[in-house]
Amino acid sequence: MRPRVLLVIAASIALVACARGAAIEPSGTALRTMSEPLPVLQGEDLHGQPISSVDFLGHVLVVNAWASWCIPYCQQEQPDLVAAANRYRDRGVRFLGINHMDQTAAATEWVRRFDVPYPSLYDPSGKFAADLDYYGLPDTYVVDPSGTIRYVIGPGPANADQLSTAIDAVLAEGQTSVSSATATNSPAR
């Protein structure tokens, strides 16, 4: 009977180790299409200044939910988010972080360490998780200029290819809409 107990204990330890490994190394973060309005995200940024998602209407907006304690996933994606924010700035794309249930000092240090060029809403209570229906960090949303969420990346780290694919698609949709409107308003020849 004793070997059987040891076998059960060993199997339990192996099962926990495998489950934990699966949680640490996801097979891949999903990029999903969506068509839902972005809820109004309103509060203070990490410096205590008022900020709202409404301030970004008229622009393609990338919203990223993150926390300094979200290691390794948030840490893994942050350089790609910073690079995308810098690369797409001149094309009118804006970025907004949501700092989820974090300490202000830790979040501010994170922004400094990664040289994050965009603001983050400070969300110490996690209230925006319910508004956006995210259940794991990080989560990234690509929103069209009218305020409709078009793509979701997550839960899990977004990578450069996923960000470019989603942002480029939303930018192309905007150009198609502008081209269609111009063609519709052009006199017939």
Side-chain angles (χ1 to χ4, degrees):
M1 182 134 162
R2 197 169 204 193
R4 185 174 284 189
V5 171
L6 291 174
L7 182 60
V8 169
I9 291 171
S12 298
I13 291 170
L15 181 61
V16 168
C18 288
R20 205 176 146 173
I24 292 171
E25 296 178 8
S27 60
T29 302
L31 170 64
R32 302 181 312 273
T33 59
M34 181 180 267
S35 184
E36 292 183 20
L38 177 70
V40 174
L41 308 170
Q42 188 168 314
E44 293 182 349
D45 68 13
L46 295 174
H47 305 289
Q49 299 300 309
I51 191 166
S52 172
S53 58
V54 174
D55 300 338
F56 299 94
L57 283 175
H59 295 276
V60 172
L61 175 63
V62 178
V63 178
N64 175 255
W66 65 278
S68 65
W69 48 261
C70 169
I71 303 292
Y73 300 144
C74 293
Q75 186 176 30
Q76 178 183 335
E77 75 171 358
Q78 191 63 68
D80 287 339
L81 287 162
V82 168
N86 290 329
R87 181 172 60 251
Y88 285 98
R89 180 183 312 126
D90 291 341
R91 294 182 64 189
V93 177
R94 301 295 181 254
F95 281 63
L96 175 65
I98 300 173
N99 180 243
H100 179 76
M101 299 179 74
D102 211 344
Q103 300 294 318
T104 308
T108 303
E109 173 57 23
W110 178 280
V111 167
R112 186 203 60 74
R113 185 173 110 206
F114 286 101
D115 198 22
V116 178
Y118 51 86
S120 284
L121 271 163
Y122 182 56
D123 186 19
S125 67
K127 67 181 177 182
F128 297 125
D131 293 345
L132 283 167
D133 198 27
Y134 61 84
Y135 56 91
L137 292 180
D139 256 1
T140 304
Y141 305 84
V142 180
V143 182
D144 71 18
S146 72
T148 301
I149 300 171
R150 307 298 296 178
Y151 292 92
V152 179
I153 305 169
N159 64 46
D161 290 338
Q162 291 171 317
L163 289 165
S164 293
T165 296
I167 294 168
D168 288 342
V170 174
L171 285 170
E173 287 173 11
Q175 290 173 351
T176 302
S177 297
V178 170
S179 297
S180 297
T182 304
T184 304
N185 294 328
S186 300
R189 295 187 187 221

